[in-house]
Structures are given as C-alpha cells and as structure tokens.
Amino acid sequence: MSTPLLQKHYKEKVVPALTEKLGYANPHQVPRVEKVVVTTCMGNAPDRKVAVDDAVLEIAKITGQRPSITYSKKAVANFKLRAGEPLGARVTLRGERMWEFLFRFINVTSPNIRDFRGITSKSFDGQGNYAIGFADQSIFPEIELDQIKRQIGFDIIIVTSAKTDDEGRTLLSELGMPFRENKPAEEGAAA
C-alpha cells in the first residue's frame, strides 16, 4: 500500500518545520499524532437500542472501521437507564486509517461546515490533545443526506505525543488544521 498523503506531508515537511520552529535537537522529539478517537453517545434517545445501531452504521461509514458499542456501567433510574444497556459507539483509528481520516477531515469535511470560519483552537486538554464536537453527521461527505434517520452528534479526539498545548496546536497547524484566527480586541472600541 502507498503512504497516505498526510503522513508523507508530515514526514517531509512538518517534521523539519517543527524541528526548526520548536528547536528540537532530535527528530524523535517532534510531536506526532498517535491516534484519533471518534465517539458518540445516544443516551437521551427514547429508542436507545435502535439509535445505537444507527450510530454504529454512521460511524462505520465515516471512518471506514466498525466501531465498538459502549455500555452503561451502572443503572440510573432518573434516566431510565439499566446497567449494561448500550449507550453509544466509539472507534479508535491508528496508522493509515488515521492519516486518511485526518486528511479527509482537514481538507473535505471541515470546509463543508455551514458558515465555516475555522475550528476553535481552544479545545486542547492541557497535554497537547485536541477534542472537537459536532452536532450533526451531515457535514461528512460519506453520509447521504436522504438516508439520515436521526441527528447524531460526534466527538473527535486527536491524541498527540505533544507535551503542551502550544506544541499540539503547532503540530496540527502544520498538518493543515484550519484553526480560527483569534482577533485581538479592536482598539478604540467604546467601553
């Protein structure tokens, strides 16, 4: 199999750029993307079991890999939830599938978002990992709009080997993640 385009870009362009920009002595110090986790929870759906099956099919279309079903750990009477009941689905992408998914997300899916002005750069967890949530699966080109049965929200977590948020932000920016430009407050604005 051939090397995914984004992985080739990472090796040829991003590693030298980050080595120079962040001052690493060794190329193995350069942060890398370790995995991408796509997850959803259907806890509030009235027909939870059918909703989880729909979510499994949608995530499989989006990622190209069959997700695992997540189950509730304990019963909560207020939510009409029993222990061991299916709640959602998640998939962990690594290797070539991860690089292909990231490439499609950065270059195809992100610009497909309505009124797209960039993705927020504030969703880092303090250790260089990035998470973003979407309320609707229709932004993904793999989903046929006339086949959507219900609105399913997704979370995408990009796990990196970066030690700080700044390193993680720099890594994702070099990979082409379309972060929103944070504009400084306008000078001379009325107080």
Side-chain angles (χ1 to χ4, degrees):
M1 289 179 89
S2 64
T3 305
L5 289 173
L6 193 61
Q7 186 178 14
K8 188 182 289 186
H9 174 72
Y10 172 77
K11 289 178 180 177
E12 294 173 359
K13 302 270 185 349
V14 175
V15 170
L18 289 179
T19 303
E20 181 181 321
K21 190 181 280 186
L22 299 175
Y24 294 123
N26 187 334
H28 296 290
Q29 290 177 303
V30 175
R32 65 190 176 284
V33 179
E34 293 181 339
K35 64 184 175 181
V36 174
V37 180
V38 180
T39 182
T40 186
C41 181
M42 303 305 295
N44 58 357
D47 55 343
R48 199 174 295 129
K49 291 179 183 173
V50 177
V52 168
D53 291 340
D54 291 344
V56 166
L57 293 174
E58 299 288 326
I59 290 178
K61 285 180 193 174
I62 290 167
T63 61
Q65 182 173 319
R66 184 159 175 84
S68 61
I69 297 175
T70 56
Y71 297 93
S72 63
K73 292 183 181 175
K74 56 185 176 178
V76 180
N78 289 343
F79 299 120
K80 298 179 183 169
L81 180 67
R82 294 186 179 128
E85 195 171 347
L87 269 184
R90 73 166 178 225
V91 65
T92 302
L93 302 171
R94 290 185 171 92
E96 291 182 3
R97 281 198 178 140
M98 173 192 73
W99 288 109
E100 291 293 335
F101 177 80
L102 272 177
F103 180 79
R104 286 192 326 263
F105 177 73
I106 291 169
N107 296 308
V108 179
T109 304
S110 297
N112 211 11
I113 299 171
R114 186 181 305 147
D115 297 332
F116 183 69
R117 292 188 186 100
I119 295 173
T120 182
S121 62
K122 297 179 182 178
S123 296
F124 284 89
D125 68 349
Q127 298 169 347
N129 304 318
Y130 184 73
I132 186 168
F134 298 102
D136 191 8
Q137 75 270 31
S138 65
I139 63 168
F140 293 96
E142 297 86 2
I143 302 297
E144 297 174 21
L145 296 178
D146 57 342
Q147 300 293 322
I148 295 176
K149 296 179 185 174
R150 69 181 77 237
Q151 188 174 353
I152 300 172
F154 291 96
D155 290 325
I156 298 174
I157 299 107
I158 301 171
V159 180
T160 68
S161 65
K163 303 289 186 225
T164 65
D165 288 349
D166 290 334
E167 287 179 359
R169 191 176 295 110
T170 305
L171 167 65
L172 293 179
S173 295
E174 289 290 329
L175 285 173
M177 186 70 77
F179 287 124
R180 187 178 308 140
E181 295 295 324
N182 293 331
K183 297 178 183 175
E186 291 187 33
E187 296 178 29

